[in-house]
Amino acid sequence: MTNPTVPTAMSNRPVTLMSLGHACVDVYQGAVAALVPYFVAERSYTYAAASGIVLAASLLSSVVQPLFGALTDRWAMPWLLPVSALLAGTGVALSGVTGSYALTLLVVAVSGIGVAAYHPEAARVARHVSRGRHTAMSWFSLGGNLGFAAAPLAVFAAVAMSGGLRATPLLIVPALAGGALCAAAVRAAKRPTPASAAEANAPTRAPATATACAPARGDDWPSFLRLSGAIVCRSTVFVGLSTFISLYVRQRTSGGEVSGTAALFVLYLGGAAGTVAGGRLATRYGRITVVRRSYALTVLAVAGVVCVPGPPLYLFVALTSAGLYVPFSLHITYGQDYLPGRVGTASGVTLGLAVSVGGLASPLIGALADATTLRTALAPLVVLPALGWYLLRPLREPAMISS
C-alpha cells in the first residue's frame, strides 16, 4: 500500500510544470545578455550603449516587481503566468528588428516587465504546490537556471546561424511553450493530490516531517533587508559578468563567437547544478552555513576570472557560477520565512527586484570598460561577494513552529 504522505508523480506534476515554465520564461533574462555581442558587432554599439540594453530590461523590471509582489499578496493571479511568459518573449523577439536604439530599449523593457510580472506569482504558486520543501523549491529554481543556460544557445542558433539580429523573431518559440506550460501548471495546481487528500481526511495527524512548519513570529524586516542587500551584491556580479563575459573571454582566449558563447553557457549551466546542490546541501548542513560559504567561494572564483588568462578561465567561470547559484533557491525560502505575512512581496524582491537590480550597474561597468579595459572594469566585482558575506554574518534561521 502506498504511503499517501510520500510525494508521487501526480503530486509532483505541478512542480515539474512550474519548473519547465520557469525555464521558458528565464530564457529571456539570459537572452538579453546573450544578444549584447551581436549588438556590438552589427550595430557598432559601445560597451556603455550595449549595457544600456541590459539596463532597459532591468530597470522597469526592478521598479514594478515589488508592485506585482504586493498585488499577489492581496489577490491570487495565476492567469498572470502564461500572459507574462508571452510578454517576456515578445519583447526579446522584436529587439533585433527595431529600427532605432530607442525602440530597442523600449521592446527590451517590455520583456523586462513580462519577467517582473511572472516571478512573484510563480514563486507563490511554487511554494504552494511544493508545500515549502527546500528540495522542491530548488527544482523550481533549477528551471529558471536551465532557461538561462539555454539562452546563449538559443540566441546563437537564431542569430549567429540564421542571418543575424533580423532573426530574433525566432526567439518567440520558448514564450509560446512557456505560456502553454504555465497554463497547464495552474490547472494541475488546482487538482487535489493524493497527499493533500490524505491530509484532508486526517486533519488531526501530526506533521510527518519538519517541512510542515511555519515562521513562529511576525515579519522580520531587518533580517530581510540584510538578505536583500546580499542578493543585490550577488546580482551585480552575475549581471555584470553575464553582460560582458562573452566579449571578455574572446579577448582573454583569442577565440571567436563560439568561445564567448561557450563561456556564457558555462556561467549559466553551472548555475543549474549549483541550484540543485543548494537544496541538498541546505538539508544536510543548514541554509545559513551554505549561503555564507557560497559567497566566500565566489570571492575567490571571481578573482580567478579577472586574473587567470587562457582556457583555465572557463574553470573559474564555472566556480563563479556555482558560488552564485548554490544559495539562489535558499534566498527565496529565506525571504519568504522572514516575511511570512508578505510572501508575494518577499518573492518579488528575492526572486525579482534584488536579482534584476544588478543590471543598474551594467552601464557603469560599460563606461569604465570604454575608458579603460574590460578586465579593469570587471575587477571591482571581486569585492561585492565579500560585502554580501559580511551582510549575511548576523543572520539566523527564522524561528519556526509546527503548522
Side-chain angles (χ1 to χ4, degrees), residues 250-263:
R250 289 187 200 182
Q251 294 177 4
R252 298 284 282 173
T253 63
S254 301
E257 286 183 355
V258 173
S259 66
T261 299

Side-chain angles (χ1 to χ4, degrees), residues 172-227:
I172 193 65
V173 173
L176 300 177
L181 287 165
C182 288
V186 169
R187 290 195 298 270
K190 292 179 179 178
R191 300 188 191 122
T193 66
S196 62
E199 290 167 2
N201 292 330
T204 60
R205 174 180 287 179
T209 68
T211 58
C213 292
R217 54 184 176 179
D219 297 335
D220 183 355
W221 282 101
S223 295
F224 181 77
L225 292 175
R226 277 187 168 271
L227 174 69

Side-chain angles (χ1 to χ4, degrees), residues 16 313 320 352 392:
T16 301
L313 179 59
T320 298
L392 292 167

Side-chain angles (χ1 to χ4, degrees), residues 76-163:
M77 296 186 289
W79 56 267
L80 195 58
L81 301 184
V83 171
S84 58
L86 294 173
L87 191 63
T90 299
V92 167
L94 294 175
S95 64
V97 296
T98 52
S100 69
Y101 183 69
L103 283 176
T104 301
L105 296 180
L106 176 62
V107 295
V108 169
V110 168
S111 177
I113 293 174
V115 170
Y118 170 83
H119 281 102
E121 179 65 10
R124 184 193 66 80
V125 174
R127 182 180 175 90
H128 168 69
V129 299
S130 70
R131 303 170 68 202
R133 302 191 307 271
H134 296 323
T135 302
M137 283 299 289
S138 72
W139 282 108
F140 168 69
S141 300
L142 172 65
N145 303 147
L146 292 176
F148 265 110
L153 302 180
V155 169
F156 184 78
V159 177
M161 300 178 65
S162 304

Side-chain angles (χ1 to χ4, degrees), residues 14-381:
V15 176
T16 301
L17 291 170
M18 288 296 299
S19 181
L20 293 173
H22 195 188
C24 292
V25 172
D26 275 8
V27 163
Y28 300 106
Q29 292 209 84
V32 176
L35 285 167
V36 165
Y38 301 99
F39 284 119
V40 171
E42 293 190 29
R43 298 185 181 178
S44 300
Y45 288 166
T46 64
Y47 290 140
S51 59
I53 297 171
V54 178
L55 172 64
S58 302
L59 185 59
L60 276 179
S61 178
S62 299
V63 171
V64 303
Q65 197 122 207
L67 172 61
F68 281 110
L71 290 175
T72 60
D73 281 335
R74 298 191 64 182
W75 302 287
M77 296 186 289
W79 56 267
L80 195 58
L81 301 184
V83 171
S84 58
L86 294 173
L87 191 63
T90 299
V92 167
L94 294 175
S95 64
V97 296
T98 52
S100 69
Y101 183 69
L103 283 176
T104 301
L105 296 180
L106 176 62
V107 295
V108 169
V110 168
S111 177
I113 293 174
V115 170
Y118 170 83
H119 281 102
E121 179 65 10
R124 184 193 66 80
V125 174
R127 182 180 175 90
H128 168 69
V129 299
S130 70
R131 303 170 68 202
R133 302 191 307 271
H134 296 323
T135 302
M137 283 299 289
S138 72
W139 282 108
F140 168 69
S141 300
L142 172 65
N145 303 147
L146 292 176
F148 265 110
L153 302 180
V155 169
F156 184 78
V159 177
M161 300 178 65
S162 304
L165 287 173
R166 63 185 178 181
T168 56
L170 294 173
L171 294 172
I172 193 65
V173 173
L176 300 177
L181 287 165
C182 288
V186 169
R187 290 195 298 270
K190 292 179 179 178
R191 300 188 191 122
T193 66
S196 62
E199 290 167 2
N201 292 330
T204 60
R205 174 180 287 179
T209 68
T211 58
C213 292
R217 54 184 176 179
D219 297 335
D220 183 355
W221 282 101
S223 295
F224 181 77
L225 292 175
R226 277 187 168 271
L227 174 69
S228 298
I231 299 173
V232 169
C233 293
R234 179 249 179 222
S235 171
T236 303
V237 174
F238 177 74
V239 177
L241 287 179
S242 63
T243 301
F244 294 110
I245 196 69
S246 292
L247 296 169
Y248 179 69
V249 168
R250 289 187 200 182
Q251 294 177 4
R252 298 284 282 173
T253 63
S254 301
E257 286 183 355
V258 173
S259 66
T261 299
L264 189 59
F265 178 71
V266 169
L267 180 66
Y268 290 162
L269 186 63
T275 298
V276 174
R280 296 181 181 277
L281 290 171
T283 301
R284 183 169 183 177
Y285 298 108
R287 283 185 295 182
I288 196 62
T289 298
V290 172
V291 171
R292 287 174 183 155
R293 291 181 179 177
S294 298
Y295 276 76
L297 168 66
T298 305
V299 176
L300 301 176
V302 176
V305 171
V306 173
C307 299
V308 174
L313 179 59
Y314 288 99
L315 171 62
F316 287 96
V317 172
L319 290 174
T320 298
S321 181
L324 291 172
Y325 269 104
V326 163
F328 186 77
S329 65
L330 308 180
H331 290 152
I332 301 168
T333 57
Y334 256 130
Q336 292 173 338
D337 288 344
Y338 282 135
L339 299 185
R342 295 176 172 82
V343 170
T345 299
S347 302
V349 173
T350 56
L351 190 58
L353 172 62
V355 175
S356 61
V357 76
L360 303 181
S362 291
L364 299 178
I365 298 172
L368 182 58
D370 286 328
T372 57
T373 65
L374 261 180
R375 186 182 181 190
T376 301
L378 295 177
L381 298 181

